[in-house]
């Protein structure tokens, strides 16, 4: 957390005309995932898992193949995949994973995306998440149920579409819909001038060969995403703009939703009422 606070302080003072310096600081602001130590209950959960190391290519930053840590509970035939959000980790789903592992005949898989939690990597990004998910599909096969939070929910939808996988149930908690909007929100929060933001998005295009606006779930058909999709969200979410979610839902009217107003972006995954409804939906599929 100390490193992240230093990055934020640098970003708040960003007035330099040096475009390379601007880009370096802004990528660190947007893609450095602060790492928090495990609490005791989280340590206990992780100690009960089988630990597996997989790899994902980091095409756009380090240019290396990055290892990342995967955790597996159970040996059942029904596979449940859990994908954490930005600057988070598998252990942040301790309450949910503990409840899932009680169900008979399931295997639960979660992971720390490259650059997040226990996995090495200086900077992380959405593409690294999707590459990690593709590696998990190759290792464990097609999941029956996929659960994700925030950027992880967005990565789930993109990777399932790319792989042509259709789980029986897809659960998205406070999903990011529009990556450019998220980046703008993060930069506005530390008072980055509009001109510097515009220049950053020009450099984004040079690096990724696509504009940031391309990473928008309204551009995806999502025909392969799931047979059954449920989204839980907070209309007062301070991290993701719910307007983009509403626009997305208009394109996909079959998606079911539940509003947990005022819960908070990070707290949603621990909200008791949400966990109860989530488990009801999971059991409906598995039992």
């Amino acid at each position: 957390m100390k490193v992240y606070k230093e990055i934020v302080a640098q970003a708040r003072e960003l007035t330099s005309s040096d475009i390379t310096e601007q880009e370096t600081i802004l990528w660190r602001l947007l893609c450095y995932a602060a790492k928090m130590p495990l609490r005791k209950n989280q340590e206990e959960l992780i100690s009960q898992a089988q630990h597996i190391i997989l790899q994902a290519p980091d095409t756009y930053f380090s240019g290396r193949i990055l290892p990342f840590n995967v955790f597996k509970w159970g040996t059942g035939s029904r596979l449940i995949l859990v994908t954490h959000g930005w600057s988070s980790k598998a252990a942040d789903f301790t309450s949910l994973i503990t409840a899932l592992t009680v169900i008979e005949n399931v295997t639960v898989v979660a992971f720390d995306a490259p650059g997040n939690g226990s996995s090495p990597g200086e900077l992380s990004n959405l593409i690294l998440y999707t590459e990690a998910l593709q590696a998990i599909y190759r290792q464990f096969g097609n999941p029956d149920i996929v659960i994700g939070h925030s950027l992880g929910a967005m990565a789930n939808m993109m990777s399932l579409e790319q792989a042509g996988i259709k789980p029986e149930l897809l659960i998205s908690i406070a999903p990011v819909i529009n990556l450019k909007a998220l980046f703008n929100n993060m930069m506005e929060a530390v008072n980055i001038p509009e001109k510097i933001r515009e220049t950053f998005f020009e450099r984004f295009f040079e690096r990724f060969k696509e504009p940031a606006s391309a990473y928008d779930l309204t551009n995806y058909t999502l025909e392969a995403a799931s047979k059954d999709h449920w989204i839980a969200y907070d209309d007062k979410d301070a991290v993701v703009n719910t307007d983009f979610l509403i626009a997305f839902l208009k394109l996909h009217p079959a998606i079911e939703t539940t509003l947990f107003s005022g819960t908070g972006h990070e707290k949603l995954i621990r909200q008791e009422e949400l966990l109860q409804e989530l488990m009801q939906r999971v059991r409906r599929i598995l039992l």
Side-chain angles (χ1 to χ4, degrees):
M1 186 57 72
K2 179 182 178 182
V3 174
Y4 184 70
K5 289 180 178 179
E6 292 173 352
I7 294 170
V8 170
Q10 289 178 328
R12 288 187 183 279
E13 298 174 357
L14 190 59
T15 58
S16 171
S17 59
D18 187 327
I19 293 177
T20 300
E21 181 185 358
Q22 291 176 6
E23 185 181 15
T24 298
I25 293 173
L26 289 178
W27 276 123
R28 294 190 76 207
L29 173 72
L30 300 173
C31 294
Y32 175 82
K35 299 185 178 184
M36 302 296 290
L38 296 180
R39 298 187 294 272
K40 184 175 181 180
N41 65 326
Q42 294 176 329
E43 289 179 347
E44 291 174 354
L45 177 73
I46 296 300
S47 70
Q48 295 164 5
Q50 177 185 352
H51 293 207
I52 301 159
I53 298 177
L54 296 179
Q55 295 181 324
D58 181 14
T59 305
Y60 298 102
F61 287 119
S62 71
R64 298 185 289 112
I65 303 296
L66 296 180
F68 66 97
N69 295 318
V70 182
F71 311 100
K72 173 177 170 283
W73 296 266
T75 57
S77 63
R78 305 284 268 167
L79 178 60
I80 304 174
L81 172 63
V82 180
T83 306
H84 67 78
W86 179 251
S87 195
S88 183
K89 54 190 178 296
D92 289 336
F93 280 98
T94 292
S95 296
L96 172 60
I97 292 172
T98 299
L100 292 171
T101 57
V102 175
I103 302 173
E104 292 184 6
N105 195 34
V106 301
T107 295
V108 179
V109 170
F111 65 102
D112 289 352
N116 290 261
S118 63
S119 294
E122 182 179 357
L123 299 178
S124 191
N125 60 72
L126 174 62
I127 303 302
L128 267 176
Y129 271 67
T130 60
E131 292 285 4
L133 284 163
Q134 298 296 345
I136 287 172
Y137 302 150
R138 291 191 293 269
Q139 177 74 20
F140 297 100
N142 294 357
D144 298 286
I145 296 175
V146 178
I147 302 168
H149 174 237
S150 190
L151 191 72
M154 184 181 200
N156 282 345
M157 286 186 255
M158 290 177 58
S159 65
L160 290 169
E161 182 77 5
Q162 291 162 357
I165 296 173
K166 194 168 187 177
E168 293 184 49
L169 175 62
L170 176 61
I171 294 176
S172 301
I173 304 169
V176 173
I177 301 297
N178 185 306
L179 187 67
K180 184 176 181 179
L182 176 66
F183 281 176
N184 260 321
N185 190 27
M186 294 174 70
M187 288 189 282
E188 287 175 358
V190 294
N191 301 317
I192 301 299
E194 184 176 358
K195 179 60 179 177
I196 292 179
R197 283 185 274 133
E198 290 174 354
T199 301
F200 168 79
F201 286 119
E202 291 172 3
R203 300 296 287 261
F204 182 104
F205 181 84
E206 293 174 9
R207 182 185 293 260
F208 287 89
K209 311 307 179 188
E210 284 188 305
S213 57
Y215 297 92
D216 179 346
L217 289 179
T218 61
N219 296 330
Y220 286 72
T221 63
L222 298 181
E223 291 177 358
S226 72
K227 301 175 185 176
D228 185 1
H229 191 176
W230 175 58
I231 291 180
Y233 71 102
D234 177 2
D235 59 347
K236 299 177 182 178
D237 196 319
V239 176
V240 295
N241 188 329
T242 309
D243 290 344
F244 293 101
L245 174 61
I246 300 304
F248 172 77
L249 291 172
K250 288 180 180 179
L251 297 174
H252 303 279
I255 296 176
E256 296 184 66
T257 63
T258 303
L259 172 63
F260 295 90
S261 187
T263 301
H265 186 79
E266 297 298 334
K267 292 181 179 179
L268 262 175
I269 62 172
R270 298 186 298 276
Q271 216 265 3
E272 186 61 33
E273 288 77 12
L274 182 148
L275 291 175
Q276 289 176 4
E277 182 169 353
L278 185 154
M279 291 303 297
Q280 288 174 358
R281 291 175 179 272
V282 167
R283 291 192 182 97
R284 190 184 307 158
I285 295 294
L286 299 181
L287 303 179

